[in-house]
Amino acid sequence: MSKIRSFKGGMHPEYDGKELTDSCCVIEAPLLEKYYVVLAENAGRPPKPCVAAGDKVRKYQLIAEADGFVSADLHAPTSGTVEGIVDVPGPMGGSVQAVVIVSDGNDHGSAPFDCWEKWQEKSGAELLERIRKAGIVGMGGAAFPSHVKLAVPPGKKVDTLIINGAECEPYLTADHRLMAEYPQKVITGAAVMGKLLDVSNIIIGVEDNKPDAVAALEMASAGTSVRVQLLEVRYPQGAEKQLIYAVTGRSVPPGGLPFDAGCVVQNAGSAAAVSDAVLQGIPLIERIVTVSGEAVRSPGNFKLRIGTPVIEAVKLAGGITEEPGKLILGGPMMGFAQRSFDVPIAKNTSGILLLPPKAALNFSSSPCIRCGRCVEVCPMKLMPCLLCASIEGGRFDLALKDHVMDCLECGACAYVCPSRRPLVQQFRRAKSELRKKR
Ligand code: SF4
Ligand code: SF4
C-alpha cells in the first residue's frame, strides 16, 4: 500500500456525520407506484422525451434522447404507462419537466444491449458508444455525461484514469458502501474505461476513513492493472483538480481540464454503471443514495430508482424524528437546499439530508476581521476575503482578475470564517454575472 496522499489547503469539519450511515449496508427499495424522471438532470442540454401520455413502456426502455453531444439518454426505471410530462421541483433548484411513469407492478423489461462478457475484445469506440447509449453521467456531482469526459480531444494525451472514491462530503456514504459491497463492479468499470482510453495507469483514490471499502477494492483488484491510492481525510479531496494533484502530483492549469494534466476522472458510481452497461447490457436506472441527518429516524443507504420522490426515500428511512430545518440533495457543503419533499432523485443525487432546525440556523454576518483563515483553506489558492470585498463593491472586473471563475464553490472558506461572511453566495453571484457578460 502506497503512502497516504493529499492536496494543499482544505479542512476537515469537526463533525462529519458519516458514522450515522457508514456501516449501513445497501437496502434495495421496493417498487413504487410512480416515478418522476426529470428531463434536466445532466450538465448539458436536457434530453428530448420520445414517449407521450398513454404510451406503454418496459423497464430500461429509452424515454428521452440526448439532445446533442453534451447530453445523456434517459431510460424507464420500471414497466408501466406514461401518465404525462409534468413540471416538478428540480433536484438542482427551480422547476423542471419530468416523465411520469405509473408502474404496472410487473417490473418487466430485458436488457436492451448485448452482454459483453469478453469486453476486452471490443474496440475503444464500441465501449464509448455503449457508455453513451447507457446514459451514464458523473454520479458524484454535476452529472456531466461520461462519454464526453472519456472522449479525449485531438492533440491531448491522456496516460492516467482516476476513479474518484474520495467521497469527502460530510454525511455521504453512498460511494463508501458501493465500494465495500460491489467492489468488483467498480474495478471492472475502471478496467473498461482504462481499455477505452488505452491507459495502463488506473488508480482509485479513496479517503482513509473507509477501511472496509479499501480492503474490498484491494481484493477485487488483485491481478488487474487497477490500484488503490489512500487519500488523507480532507475536504474537498474529491474535487477533480485536488484529486488529480493528490494522486499524480500534477496541476491542472487555471481554466483547464483534466485532459491538460494527462488525466480523466470518473466517479466510483459511474464506474459501477459502466460495468453494468457492458457486462449486463443495462442502462443507468438506479443508484445508491445516503438518506441521513439528525432529523431522520433510521438513516441508511438505499438503492433507489431514478425518479423516486424524496418523500418515498424518507419513508424508507423510517420517516422523521422532528420537523427538519433543512432538506438538502447532495452533501451539506455543495448540495442543493430543497423546498419540497416531492423533488425526485436524479442520476447525480448522492444523498438526501434532513438537518434539524438547530443545525440550519441562519447566522448574521459581521465585517471581515482579516484573520486569513479563508486564504489558508482555499484549495484553489484564491483570496476569498479580497474576492468578497471586490464583489460587494461591485468590482466584478477585479474579481475576474483575481480568478473568481476558478472557485469550486466548495464552501471551505465560508465554513472556517469566524465572521460568517456570505462568501460562496457572493462568488456564485459574481460568476453568474460574469458568465452573462460573456
Ligand atoms: S468556495 Fe471557492 S474561494 Fe472558497 S475555499 Fe472553495 S474554492 Fe476557495
Ligand atoms: S475568514 Fe472571514 S473574517 Fe477571516 S479573512 Fe476570511 S473573510 Fe475575513
Side-chain angles (χ1 to χ4, degrees):
M1 173 68 65
S2 51
K3 74 176 176 76
I4 297 178
R5 302 182 66 117
S6 193
F7 64 100
K8 292 175 185 157
M11 52 91 201
H12 185 65
E14 277 166 38
Y15 173 69
D16 69 9
K18 287 194 188 266
E19 68 268 25
L20 292 173
T21 55
D22 61 3
S23 57
C24 297
C25 291
V26 177
I27 296 171
E28 192 144 350
L31 197 60
L32 296 177
E33 279 176 25
K34 265 188 201 182
Y35 293 92
Y36 299 78
V37 186
V38 298
L39 290 165
E41 64 182 340
N42 60 66
R45 291 165 72 98
K48 287 183 181 163
C50 50
V51 289
D55 285 358
K56 299 274 184 228
V57 291
R58 294 175 72 76
K59 184 181 178 183
Y60 302 127
Q61 182 180 325
L62 184 70
I63 56 172
E65 263 178 305
D67 184 14
F69 184 56
V70 188
S71 185
D73 287 350
L74 283 172
H75 302 82
T78 189
S79 56
T81 307
V82 175
E83 188 176 73
I85 295 172
V86 302
D87 286 337
V88 296
M92 295 170 92
S95 169
V96 293
Q97 289 207 305
V99 179
V100 186
I101 296 176
V102 180
S103 166
D104 60 13
N106 297 320
D107 207 23
H108 276 164
S110 49
F113 317 123
D114 296 338
C115 301
W116 288 345
E117 275 167 29
K118 294 188 178 165
W119 56 266
Q120 295 89 342
E121 294 170 4
K122 299 292 172 187
S123 69
E126 285 172 306
L127 294 169
L128 187 64
E129 179 62 3
R130 170 61 58 88
I131 291 168
R132 188 190 70 73
K133 283 170 78 175
I136 299 171
V137 301
M139 292 166 73
F144 204 78
S146 294
H147 67 271
V148 181
K149 287 183 81 178
L150 287 163
V152 182
K156 301 284 180 192
K157 177 96 187 87
V158 165
D159 62 11
T160 303
L161 168 66
I162 301 173
I163 302 299
N164 189 349
E167 200 169 50
C168 58
E169 270 264 8
Y171 287 91
L172 302 186
T173 59
D175 284 351
H176 179 161
R177 294 316 312 169
L178 169 78
M179 294 185 291
E181 296 177 49
Y182 306 92
Q184 195 60 56
K185 287 191 184 207
V186 180
I187 299 295
T188 303
V192 168
M193 290 188 280
K195 147 105 193 184
L196 185 167
L197 291 164
D198 194 21
V199 300
S200 52
N201 209 14
I202 308 169
I203 304 158
I204 304 184
V206 187
E207 275 194 349
D208 189 27
N209 55 0
K210 307 172 182 58
D212 50 349
V214 170
L217 290 169
E218 291 274 357
M219 198 180 288
S221 62
T224 73
S225 55
V226 184
R227 76 175 171 86
V228 182
Q229 173 64 57
L230 277 188
L231 303 170
E232 187 187 350
V233 180
R234 194 159 192 78
Y235 180 83
Q237 192 72 258
E240 212 162 57
K241 290 177 183 175
Q242 283 58 41
L243 183 66
I244 290 171
Y245 181 83
V247 170
T248 66
R250 300 175 193 168
S251 297
V252 178
L257 293 169
F259 295 133
D260 299 310
C263 296
V264 165
V265 180
Q266 291 282 338
N267 168 261
S270 307
V274 167
S275 173
D276 286 346
V278 170
L279 288 185
Q280 295 180 46
I282 55 175
L284 175 55
I285 63 157
E286 61 186 4
R287 63 157 299 144
I288 300 170
V289 179
T290 301
V291 183
S292 190
E294 287 73 15
V296 175
R297 193 170 302 281
S298 302
N301 292 294
F302 300 91
K303 197 183 275 182
L304 303 178
R305 303 201 191 191
I306 307 305
T308 298
V310 160
I311 184 73
E312 299 294 341
V314 174
K315 281 187 207 163
L316 280 175
I320 55 175
T321 53
E322 61 179 314
E323 197 55 42
K326 208 164 218 178
L327 165 64
I328 300 171
L329 285 202
M333 302 295 283
M334 294 187 76
F336 288 80
Q338 304 291 329
R339 289 171 191 274
S340 167
F341 280 83
D342 294 332
V343 59
I345 71 140
K347 291 175 185 173
N348 62 339
T349 306
S350 46
I352 298 170
L353 298 188
L354 279 77
L355 302 178
K358 65 176 183 322
L361 288 177
N362 286 321
F363 295 98
S364 55
S365 80
S366 49
C368 172
I369 57 169
R370 296 178 183 254
C371 66
R373 288 189 206 172
C374 55
V375 181
E376 274 169 36
V377 300
C378 178
M380 294 304 292
K381 303 193 188 93
L382 304 179
M383 302 278 279
C385 46
L386 290 187
L387 284 173
C388 188
S390 300
I391 297 161
E392 283 178 338
R395 294 297 305 269
F396 295 121
D397 56 326
L398 286 182
L400 181 65
K401 200 162 109 327
D402 289 333
H403 306 287
V404 71
M405 299 309 280
D406 285 339
C407 170
L408 306 170
E409 300 174 21
C410 69
C413 53
Y415 183 85
V416 298
C417 176
S419 298
R420 302 193 179 277
R421 308 285 301 141
L423 299 168
V424 183
Q425 289 94 319
Q426 293 291 16
F427 304 153
R428 281 191 181 145
R429 183 166 76 90
K431 286 168 78 176
S432 156
E433 289 297 325
L434 288 164
R435 277 196 203 104
K436 272 189 225 157
K437 278 191 190 160
R438 266 188 207 167

